[in-house]
Amino acid sequence: MSAHIAPSRAERMTPRAWGLLLVLSGAAFLEGIDVSMMGVALPSIRAELGMSTSSLQWVVSAYVLGYAGFVLLGGRAADLLGRRRMFLTWLVVFVAFSGLGGLAGEGWVLVTARFVTGVAAAFLTPAGLSIITTTFAEGRVRNRAVLVYAGAGAGGFSLGMVVGGLLTAVHWRWVFFAPVVVAAVLLVAAVALVPREPGSRPQARGIDVAGTLTLTGAMVLLVLTVVHAPEVAPAVTAATLAGAVVLLAAFVRLERRSPAPLVRLGILRSVPLLRANAGAVLLLASFMAFQFIVVLHLQELRGWSTVETGLALAVLGIDAVLAPTLTPVLVNRFGNPRVLVTGMAFAALGYLLFLPLGPGWTFVAMLPAFLALGLAFTLAYGTLAIAATDGVADDEQGLASGLLTTSFQFGAALGLAVATAVVVAATADTSPQAVLAGHRAGLVVPLAAAVLGTALLATGLRRRRSAT
């Protein structure tokens, strides 16, 4: 018999509430680690499956596009079909297709498995976050729960590079098999601890499949446009870009006419929500671009092993400790907007410090940049989740969570695509000097995104001062 948490909002963190939060945070950690482990494993996957640089980025992009394309549907499904039902069902799918990825013998099988795993995460994550925001009372208790949850996701994202390096040293397939074991344990615990929703009945008529397909298609075409722009004729680039615009316009038209839209367009009138989502796009775009370039540089140009690369990036994992402990204190003391802007500014600083990358750089030379990025995720990741869901009605918490996750994942895919295109275009030949020049050019992408994000989020500070 499943345990049941009372439907009334938790005003304090009871042992049972902590148990629920740990299970949901474990799923967030798993999702974060699943994304970042791929980054360290990419060179090994390329070597065994014979994938090019452009096709290699699809191992990551397929996941994040499946995630970004379906997460709004996932958020809506959580609201209409039941948060517990969606969380448990898609955790099973996550287990199955993560295992399939580990068995893949060809690149297309791996990319397909990654896409479906991303779709599973798209239903899993907004269900988990909306369970938190509807279980804990708004204010300090909910803020703490959201920051612990988001800190777990950010910690998994950064620690995944270390774990990925260690697992890839055994074999890259363990990067897929290890999440299967963790997810199976979480599934058992979730059955016991995730609360049932009294009186809720599935309302499948509110599921907007057409909106989901047009939005996903638009994002896929946009990423294809960016990735292949340096390699194809301008007419092909123009055609795919036009296709993305047409599908996006079709999505907006569908949402305006649908009696149960995937996205209630009125929610986009909220300036704080739009600002938080734009910040999420730029934060993840900058980091995924940075990670992709740094891993290629360290392993393929410098000859570092996967273990050495993972350990070098381990310092980014400080957010796993600081996000749930330090960030709530800072938010209570200085307010969410100030902490958020500071976090994005640390990201810009980290990328700036890495920009003069040289062929003889040691780990000590890279350490200040890694520390700055660890602090960036400590301060920005969870506070974006608060900013994006604060003040949203209960029946749209799944939608707000889905919008934020869409922004995170689409930002990751877009940043990776732009960085790949810049590196390919700027690399004149395969000589070490040319490859290094390409890497340096690519590092401008995360810096530009972080600077833009800092400026954008700072407008929230000005608005707050004028309001007071």
Side-chain angles (χ1 to χ4, degrees), residues 1-15:
M1 182 175 178
S2 299
H4 178 73
I5 295 180
S8 60
R9 299 297 178 85
E11 301 285 348
R12 59 188 180 87
M13 296 299 294
T14 64

Side-chain angles (χ1 to χ4, degrees), residues 328-355:
V329 175
L330 295 177
V331 168
N332 290 334
R333 174 67 178 84
F334 299 105
N336 198 64
R338 288 189 179 90
V339 176
L340 178 53
V341 172
T342 303
M344 188 65 84
F346 267 114
L349 174 63
Y351 302 134
L352 180 64
L353 291 173
F354 213 87
L355 198 58

